[in-house]
Amino acid sequence: MPPCARLPVTYFFSAYSGRKMTPRIGFPFCWLSRRLQIPRLLLVCVTCHAIAIGSFLQPGLEGNAKLLHLFSNKSNREQGYCEAEARLASSLDFWTLSSENLIAVLPVDPVKENYVRKVKNCVFSIAFPTPFKSRIHLVAVSKEVIEDILDLDFSVSETDDFIQLVSGKKIVFGSIPLAHRYGGHQFGIWADQLGDGRAHLIGIYMNRLGEKWELQLKGSGKTPYSRNGDGRAVLRSSVREFLCSEAMYYLGIPTSRAASLVVSDDEVWRDQFYNGNIVKERGAVVLRVAKSWFRIGSLEILTHYGELDLLSATQILEGYPVLYYTRFRELFKAKLGLLGERKGDDDLIAFLLHLMEKTEADFTMTFRQLSEITQSQLQELNIPQQFWALKMISKHELFPAWVSQYLLRLKSNMNDSDFERRKRMMTVNPRYVLKNWMAESAVQKAERNDFSEVYLLQQVLQHPFQKHSAAEKAGYSSPTPAWARDLRVSCSS
């Protein structure tokens, strides 16, 4: 049994009967919770029949908001579920994180000094963020992440404590900042050790719903994996990071979320396009949250160095190709409004993608406009001017043949109508996605301390399937403007 803090007398309730168990004095709860995978919030044991109030005096495996009367429980036996309500934390005073769940299971680099080096036989290195030296300005915050995931009242984001936390200056109770070791390929070539070169995993938070989220600062300073970098991120890349992660979430794509974006007056020098043109920019940090920060590279680095005793890979990857192609087919059938299974569906999908590639059609607006155009307009090949993406693809000589196959397939949809088809398709084909030119426009304004377009995009991208008057005025559903046709961004943009 590993050493851990022993708790005072705690009463437990049976999850089945609500019956109070015999009290145990000095019971090593953290050992039990590790063995049985019981989250610390179960110190407040909530069942459909009873509430037990336990001790919050000792840190556990995941951080949380330690609030008095945290849970009130309402039982609804007829519907068979329980509802847990909680107050949001109004400050960071009792809000904690924990890194124990990671470092208790996965090996940590024995070298504690923070300098760039080749790291082996571990998954994490302990590395603390490097605070900015200048003033810090809060640029953007996701209200949903702050309140629904992190259990913080939105007003907390206006406090100095919050800004210090999300910029890397404040380390909350229970946090042991970590940098993750991983490897991978770049441009088709094995790049060896990569790792979190400018990011710090500051801990795990378990919220009132029992969800575990890993919090990571990006742009928060050097780590052993920084290679030749300075460990910083700049405003332009951080704006894209914040907007893109939130945009993907509202599109229904499982990914990391962005909680906040701060910018400093610290000077960061960047050669954006690696052409010798070095310019001065401002350092920024994004607080990101995810269920896990593990990626394919987490496995690749272990395989490459033969650290096979550390390698959750054969089981993970087994069956992945079948899963991938099954989901691929499901997604594109939904995007085309197809119901049921038909033999030629794969060919129909591939045919359209081929035409889109040859005509360089806009991916997003091609599917969106297929959602809005009527079958009669398609049948007559009468493409209104407003459907500019479809007009582009209709220039291909094989477009009429594809339309004929598509309309024939739609007729096989059981109990369907053209109105229902369009309605259904508009819920899976967004009208707005974050394109390079839109992000670039917001970045250019942000670098002049005008964050208005960051706010506009944040609002629009939260409802990507709904028409938005301000978005239409900004041209977000229009063809790429002439000034942005030759726009280039680097991997660190």
Side-chain angles (χ1 to χ4, degrees):
M1 185 182 303
C4 62
R6 296 179 177 269
L7 298 176
V9 176
T10 303
Y11 289 92
F12 293 90
F13 283 73
S14 165
Y16 301 99
S17 67
R19 179 172 55 87
K20 186 166 70 174
M21 308 289 285
T22 304
R24 297 289 302 273
I25 299 196
F27 188 81
F29 183 81
C30 66
W31 174 81
L32 175 65
S33 63
R34 188 177 295 123
R35 291 293 300 272
L36 300 183
Q37 297 182 337
I38 301 175
R40 180 161 76 102
L41 280 179
L42 287 186
L43 277 172
V44 178
C45 299
V46 182
T47 74
C48 291
H49 312 290
I51 301 174
I53 304 298
S55 170
F56 283 118
L57 297 179
Q58 301 293 339
L61 292 182
E62 290 89 21
N64 55 40
K66 295 184 274 189
L67 300 175
L68 188 61
H69 305 306
L70 184 61
F71 282 98
S72 66
N73 186 262
K74 298 180 180 179
S75 177
N76 190 329
R77 297 186 182 182
E78 289 75 19
Q79 297 183 4
Y81 67 87
C82 294
E83 295 179 0
E85 297 177 351
R87 294 184 303 176
L88 298 178
S90 59
S91 75
L92 293 175
D93 291 346
F94 299 103
W95 190 88
T96 65
L97 297 174
S98 175
S99 304
E100 184 179 349
N101 200 32
L102 293 170
I103 62 179
V105 177
L106 299 170
V108 176
D109 181 5
V111 179
K112 298 300 185 286
E113 291 77 13
N114 187 6
Y115 64 93
V116 176
R117 60 187 183 275
K118 181 66 67 69
V119 181
K120 291 187 178 180
N121 297 308
C122 71
V123 175
F124 294 109
S125 296
I126 294 176
F128 282 77
T130 304
F132 289 122
K133 298 177 180 178
S134 62
R135 63 176 184 142
I136 303 166
H137 175 67
L138 183 65
V139 173
V141 182
S142 170
K143 186 174 189 291
E144 186 177 82
V145 174
I146 295 298
E147 295 190 342
D148 296 348
I149 293 179
L150 300 182
D151 298 335
L152 294 171
D153 189 89
F154 190 68
S155 62
V156 175
S157 66
E158 301 171 354
T159 66
D160 186 58
D161 266 359
F162 179 82
I163 293 176
Q164 289 189 33
L165 170 68
V166 301
S167 64
K169 185 175 182 179
K170 177 183 178 70
I171 304 298
V172 298
F173 181 77
S175 170
I176 301 176
L178 304 169
H180 177 40
R181 172 183 175 237
Y182 59 87
H185 293 77
Q186 293 181 330
F187 311 108
I189 300 173
W190 173 249
D192 203 15
Q193 176 178 291
L194 298 173
D196 289 335
R198 55 177 178 174
H200 295 80
L201 197 168
I202 59 174
I204 297 177
Y205 180 77
M206 176 175 283
N207 65 20
R208 62 190 185 276
L209 301 178
E211 300 169 335
K212 290 192 292 185
W213 293 87
E214 296 182 6
L215 278 65
Q216 183 197 75
L217 299 176
K218 185 169 183 179
S220 44
K222 280 189 172 184
T223 76
Y225 310 101
S226 294
R227 295 182 287 174
N228 296 320
D230 56 16
R232 292 300 186 192
V234 294
L235 179 60
R236 56 183 163 81
S237 62
S238 301
V239 165
R240 287 188 175 91
E241 178 86 41
F242 181 88
L243 291 175
C244 193
S245 60
E246 288 300 276
M248 291 176 69
Y249 169 76
Y250 288 105
L251 287 171
I253 301 171
T255 185
S256 61
R257 301 291 305 275
S260 63
L261 164 61
V262 295
V263 65
S264 73
D265 288 331
D266 281 29
E267 296 178 353
V268 178
W269 297 89
R270 285 290 182 271
D271 181 357
Q272 182 178 358
F273 299 109
Y274 308 103
N275 59 4
N277 184 26
I278 300 176
V279 297
K280 181 175 67 175
E281 303 188 51
R282 288 187 290 172
V285 172
V286 176
L287 172 61
R288 312 192 296 174
V289 301
K291 294 298 183 68
S292 173
W293 290 106
F294 276 68
R295 74 242 13 229
I296 295 295
S298 305
L299 307 177
E300 285 186 291
I301 192 73
L302 302 179
T303 302
H304 182 78
Y305 284 102
E307 300 168 19
L308 303 182
D309 56 323
L310 306 179
L311 186 62
S312 51
T314 302
Q315 289 181 324
I316 292 174
L317 297 178
E318 191 174 275
Y320 176 74
V322 174
L323 180 65
Y324 176 88
Y325 285 109
T326 299
R327 186 58 180 149
F328 179 91
R329 186 183 302 111
E330 290 174 350
L331 287 173
F332 276 96
K333 283 177 59 181
K335 291 178 77 65
L336 289 172
L338 308 182
L339 299 178
E341 293 285 342
R342 296 296 182 272
K343 186 176 181 180
D345 286 350
D346 288 352
D347 292 336
L348 184 67
I349 294 168
F351 193 177
L352 176 59
L353 294 178
H354 172 75
L355 297 181
M356 292 171 64
E357 179 185 6
K358 292 301 181 183
T359 58
E360 299 183 352
D362 185 287
F363 183 91
T364 299
M365 294 310 295
T366 293
F367 285 99
R368 178 67 184 198
Q369 290 169 10
L370 279 173
S371 309
E372 298 176 349
I373 198 169
T374 65
Q375 289 190 42
S376 60
Q377 288 173 319
L378 270 178
Q379 189 166 15
E380 297 168 5
L381 296 178
N382 177 23
I383 312 295
Q385 192 63 39
Q386 70 197 67
F387 298 137
W388 53 269
L390 287 181
K391 284 191 75 69
M392 180 180 294
I393 198 173
S394 69
K395 295 177 182 178
H396 198 286
E397 60 181 358
L398 295 179
F399 181 68
W402 181 83
V403 168
S404 296
Q405 292 182 25
Y406 179 52
L407 293 176
L408 183 63
R409 174 62 177 85
L410 289 178
K411 288 182 180 179
S412 69
N413 283 350
M414 299 294 292
N415 302 317
D416 199 23
S417 67
D418 193 39
F419 173 79
E420 289 297 327
R421 172 194 68 86
R422 286 183 286 141
K423 180 181 177 182
R424 188 170 63 248
M425 288 174 64
M426 281 191 282
T427 65
V428 295
N429 292 313
R431 189 170 179 87
Y432 312 110
V433 296
L434 184 65
K435 298 183 177 180
N436 273 337
W437 74 264
M438 295 156 60
E440 181 65 20
S441 178
V443 166
Q444 290 180 7
K445 292 177 182 176
E447 289 180 335
R448 301 192 298 269
N449 287 327
D450 175 2
F451 303 107
S452 59
E453 193 156 15
V454 173
Y455 304 145
L456 173 61
L457 282 169
Q458 188 178 2
Q459 293 174 1
V460 170
L461 296 171
Q462 287 178 352
H463 306 282
F465 303 98
Q466 302 174 13
K467 203 167 184 177
H468 193 291
S469 58
E472 294 298 305
K473 185 177 180 181
Y476 292 164
S477 64
S478 301
T480 299
W483 65 265
R485 287 174 186 165
D486 296 322
L487 182 64
R488 296 181 301 147
V489 293
S490 69
C491 60
S492 62
S493 295

